[in-house]
Amino acid sequence: MTVTGIPKPKAVQVADALREDVKKMQPGERLPTQRELMDRFGFAGQTIQNGLAILRAEGAIISAGNMGNFVSGGEAGDKDDELKEIRSQIQALTERVAALEGRSESGRA
């Protein structure tokens, strides 16, 4: 969510645009070079690298060093679903532990 009137950081703009491109690409497909992305977006190389880093952190792309960046086998949305499931399981376990600790403390009194 963004605040109205405040533009997104440039690296986030790059990541958002490339995320849409990646959704249309096949796993293993190569992304455009950094130079091509600099020309496309009109941003500095570091900004492009930061945008790509966001997608790598999400698991949407992988870097092969000097060979470039490639679409990963899984999409970022898959990772989000996995994280939500893990968080849900952690929450359930936390509640269960709290309940068990409550029982053991009440038994001591």
Side-chain angles (χ1 to χ4, degrees):
M1 188 162 108
T2 61
V3 178
T4 305
I6 298 176
K8 291 181 183 179
K10 292 177 182 178
V12 174
Q13 293 176 35
V14 170
D16 288 348
L18 291 177
R19 192 178 295 109
E20 293 304 313
D21 293 349
V22 165
K23 288 179 183 177
K24 300 171 190 164
M25 299 170 74
Q26 297 297 314
E29 197 170 338
R30 187 172 182 268
L31 273 67
T33 65
Q34 181 173 326
R35 171 58 57 196
E36 291 169 334
L37 294 173
M38 289 169 61
D39 292 341
R40 173 181 168 186
F41 291 102
F43 297 150
Q46 186 62 51
T47 302
I48 300 300
Q49 289 177 13
N50 292 344
L52 291 168
I54 292 169
L55 295 180
R56 279 194 300 275
E58 293 174 355
I61 65 171
I62 57 172
S63 175
N66 290 338
M67 295 178 60
N69 293 288
F70 297 84
V71 177
S72 69
E75 294 182 22
D78 293 340
K79 299 277 187 206
D80 289 341
D81 292 342
E82 289 176 34
L83 287 173
K84 287 178 186 175
E85 177 62 25
I86 290 169
R87 286 184 184 123
S88 173
Q89 291 175 2
I90 290 171
Q91 180 64 33
L93 289 171
T94 302
E95 291 170 2
R96 188 171 176 196
V97 168
L100 291 171
E101 287 176 345
R103 280 191 222 155
S104 66
E105 286 181 12
S106 64
R108 288 184 203 161

